[in-house]
Amino acid sequence: MKNLSIRVKITLWFTAILIFITSCTYVIVFSVNRQLLQKTIRDELIRTVEDNVDEVEYYRNLGVADPQEVDYYMAFGEGYLEVDDDFLDKVNEVYTSLYSEDATLLYGENPISKHTASLEFADAKIQHLTINGTLYYVFDRKLVLEGLEGLWLRGIVSENQGMTQMVAITRLLLLFLPLFVVISIIGGYLFARRLLKPIQRISESAARIGGSGDLKERIEIGEGKDELHQLAAGFNEMFGRLEDAFEAERQFTSDASHELRTPVSVITAQCEMSLEETRSVEEYEQALRTIQRQGRKMSKLINDMLDFTRLEMRAESYVREMVDMTELVRTICSDMAMIKEKDITLKYEAETGIKIYGNRQLLSRLLVNLITNAYRYGREDGLIFVSLKRLGEAVELSVSDNGIGIAEGEQQKIFRRFYQADNSHSAIGTGLGLSMAYEIVQFHGGEIRVESEPGKGSVFFVDFK
C-alpha cells in the first residue's frame, strides 16, 4: 500500500466506499421493497374480497333474476344464490371462495382448503398460515345481507405473489448496480488523475528546479484559486524568496570580499615592504599604524556584517519592550553633539512622552547610524537637526543635514549593502550603515525614506506606526 501512488490509493478507497454504499443500498432497497410488496399483497387481498362481497346476491325465486346476466346460480335455503361470473376468476393470484358457517366450501377455489378447514373465521382480519415454508394470508368477510346469513367469503393469497416482481427488481439491481460501480470507479480514477495532475506538475517542476538549481523557473499549472493553485503559488513564492536570498547572499559575499580585499592588500603590502630591507624606527612605526588602521577597519566591517546577518537571520534574539524614544533621542543626541566633527553642530527636538514597542539596542543603532551618516557627508561648519514628533497615531523620527546631498538616481540605492553614493568617502565607512538602518526599520514594522538635493543636504524620515 505504501508503494502505491496517491492516484491509485484514492481510487482504491473510493472503490471500497462505493462498494460498501452500493451494498448497503441494495440491502435497504431489497428490504424496503419486500415490505412494500407484502403490504401491497395484503391490501390487494382485502380489496379483492371486499369487491366480491357485492358479487353474491340472494333471490327467493329465479323469476326476479336478470335474464341478461350470465351468472352462476345455486340453491340456498328457501331460495337461490347468484354469484357474478367475475367471481370465478383468480384476480392477481388472490383466490376467493364462498363458505357456509360450518366451513363447507360452497363455491370458488381454495388451493389450501385442507389446511384452512380448521382455521376459524375472523371477520375483517388478516390471518397468517405457513404451509411448507410458504406464508399465506387469509382474509374473511361475513355476509350480512338478507338471505346471506351464515355465509362467509374467504380470500387467500401467498406471499410468493410478489416474488416475480422481487426477482425482476433483484435482477435489475444485480445488473445496474455493479455496472454503476464499474463506471464510477473508472470515472473516479480519471477524475483523480486529472485532480492530481497539478501535483504531478508541481513535483516535476520542483525536481527540475532542484536538479538544475535554476531558481528563476516557476511552477505553471494554469489559472485557478483552489488549494492546489494556492500550493503552487506558495512554492513559487518560496522559490522567489530563495532566489532573492541566494542572490543577496551571492552579492553579500562578493561585496564583503571586495571590501576586505583592500585592507588585506594594504596590510600585506606594508608587511612585505617592511621585511624587504631594514627600515628606520619611524618607517616601522608608520607601517604598524597603517596595519593597525586597516585591521580596525576590517574588524569594524566584520562586526557590522555579523550584526547585519544576526538581524536578518535571528531577529527573534532581539527582545522587544516599550522604549522611551524621547529619552533615547535626547541621550544619544547629547552625546553625539560633542563629536564636533568638521565643526558640525548637532541640534535636536523631541516631543515628550513618546514610546514605541521595539528593541532599545537596535533603535539606538538606527539613530547613531543616521547621525553618523550625516556627520560623514555633512559640510564644514554645517548643521545636523534631529526631530522626534507625533503624526496622528504614528511617530516620525527625522535626521537632516545641509551636506553634499544625494543625486536623485542614487536615492533608492543608498540602502543597499556596501553601497556608497560618494566614492570619495569610501574609505571612511563600511557601506553598511544605511542598509543596517533599513533592516532595523523593517524589524520594527516602519518605513524609511530620504529627501535630498545635491549641494543642499538630505533629510532621512523614519515612520513608526
Side-chain angles (χ1 to χ4, degrees), residues 124 251 277 331 434:
Q251 186 65 38
E277 57 184 56
T331 301
L434 290 179

Side-chain angles (χ1 to χ4, degrees), residues 45-46 121-128 137-141 155:
L45 170 64
I46 295 173
F121 294 106
D123 188 31
K125 292 183 179 180
I126 292 182
Q127 302 183 75
H128 301 82
Y137 299 107
V138 180
F139 182 73
D140 300 323
R141 285 290 282 123

Side-chain angles (χ1 to χ4, degrees), residues 92-378:
N92 294 328
E93 300 296 328
V94 177
Y95 296 88
T96 306
S97 50
L98 180 64
Y99 282 86
S100 62
E101 187 73 39
D102 59 358
T104 300
L105 179 63
L106 301 177
Y107 178 81
E109 183 180 357
N110 183 351
I112 56 171
S113 58
K114 65 179 181 178
H115 297 284
T116 60
S118 60
L119 186 65
E120 295 183 0
F121 294 106
D123 188 31
K125 292 183 179 180
I126 292 182
Q127 302 183 75
H128 301 82
L129 187 64
T130 302
I131 301 174
N132 298 327
T134 301
L135 177 65
Y136 288 86
Y137 299 107
V138 180
F139 182 73
D140 300 323
R141 285 290 282 123
K142 185 177 183 179
L143 302 182
V144 296
L145 296 179
E146 182 182 357
L148 301 178
E149 296 84 353
L151 296 179
W152 289 81
L153 283 181
R154 168 164 284 179
I156 298 173
V157 65
S158 168
E159 67 169 353
N160 292 333
Q161 178 201 4
M163 287 303 297
T164 303
Q165 295 175 328
M166 285 291 296
V167 170
I169 293 174
T170 301
R171 286 178 178 175
L172 288 176
L173 289 175
L174 292 177
L175 174 64
F176 286 104
L177 286 182
L179 182 62
F180 169 74
V181 170
V182 172
I183 294 175
S184 299
I185 292 173
I186 296 174
Y189 178 82
L190 296 176
F191 177 75
R193 184 174 68 177
R194 181 172 182 178
L195 181 66
L196 296 174
K197 193 172 183 180
I199 296 182
Q200 185 177 2
R201 291 183 182 176
I202 293 174
S203 177
E204 293 173 351
S205 299
R208 187 167 55 252
I209 293 173
S212 65
D214 183 12
L215 294 175
K216 295 184 180 299
E217 187 175 348
R218 295 293 181 267
I219 298 173
E220 299 294 340
I221 60 173
E223 297 293 331
K225 295 183 179 180
D226 56 25
E227 290 82 355
L228 293 179
H229 287 81
Q230 294 175 10
L231 176 63
F235 271 107
N236 288 335
E237 183 179 356
M238 179 188 68
F239 288 140
R241 291 182 178 178
L242 287 175
E243 181 185 4
D244 294 340
F246 281 123
E247 181 62 25
E249 186 69 23
R250 185 194 65 78
Q251 186 65 38
F252 185 80
T253 303
S254 175
D255 293 341
S257 300
H258 176 75
E259 293 296 324
L260 291 172
R261 184 181 294 113
T262 299
V264 169
S265 299
V266 172
I267 292 174
T268 302
Q270 286 293 326
C271 291
E272 291 176 351
M273 185 182 67
S274 300
L275 294 173
E276 283 179 357
E277 57 184 56
T278 303
R279 304 288 181 180
S280 64
V281 176
E282 291 78 9
E283 289 176 327
Y284 281 126
E285 183 178 353
Q286 182 181 0
L288 288 175
R289 290 186 183 280
T290 301
I291 292 173
Q292 182 187 47
R293 185 170 59 253
Q294 295 299 324
R296 287 177 176 174
K297 182 177 180 179
M298 291 176 61
S299 178
K300 186 176 187 309
L301 176 61
I302 291 172
N303 288 332
D304 287 346
M305 291 170 60
L306 290 175
D307 289 341
F308 201 97
T309 302
R310 180 187 175 196
L311 181 59
E312 279 191 323
M313 307 303 295
R314 299 181 58 192
E316 68 278 0
S317 63
Y318 292 98
V319 180
R320 296 175 185 261
E321 59 183 353
M322 291 305 299
V323 179
D324 189 338
M325 284 297 294
T326 300
E327 183 270 334
L328 182 69
V329 170
R330 289 174 178 175
T331 301
I332 292 177
C333 289
S334 296
D335 292 342
M336 297 193 72
M338 294 185 291
I339 295 177
K340 296 295 184 181
E341 183 178 344
K342 301 180 187 178
D343 291 325
I344 295 176
T345 301
L346 172 61
K347 295 183 179 182
Y348 63 90
E349 184 179 283
E351 291 186 15
T352 59
I354 295 181
K355 296 181 179 181
I356 66 173
Y357 187 70
N359 181 269
R360 184 180 182 86
Q361 176 187 351
L362 292 179
L363 291 171
S364 299
R365 181 72 173 272
L366 167 66
L367 184 56
V368 168
N369 284 5
L370 293 177
I371 295 176
T372 301
N373 188 74
Y375 269 119
R376 183 173 300 147
Y377 296 101

Side-chain angles (χ1 to χ4, degrees), residues 44-57 82-92 94-98 107-109 139 141-143 145 148 151-156:
E44 181 67 20
L45 170 64
I46 295 173
R47 186 188 66 80
T48 302
V49 173
E50 293 289 352
D51 288 345
N52 284 331
V53 168
D54 298 328
E55 303 300 328
V56 181
E57 298 181 28
E82 179 192 25
V83 181
D84 193 286
D85 62 338
D86 294 335
F87 187 85
L88 298 173
D89 297 330
K90 179 178 64 176
V91 181
N92 294 328
V94 177
Y95 296 88
T96 306
S97 50
L98 180 64
Y107 178 81
E109 183 180 357
F139 182 73
R141 285 290 282 123
K142 185 177 183 179
L143 302 182
L145 296 179
L148 301 178
L151 296 179
W152 289 81
L153 283 181
R154 168 164 284 179
I156 298 173

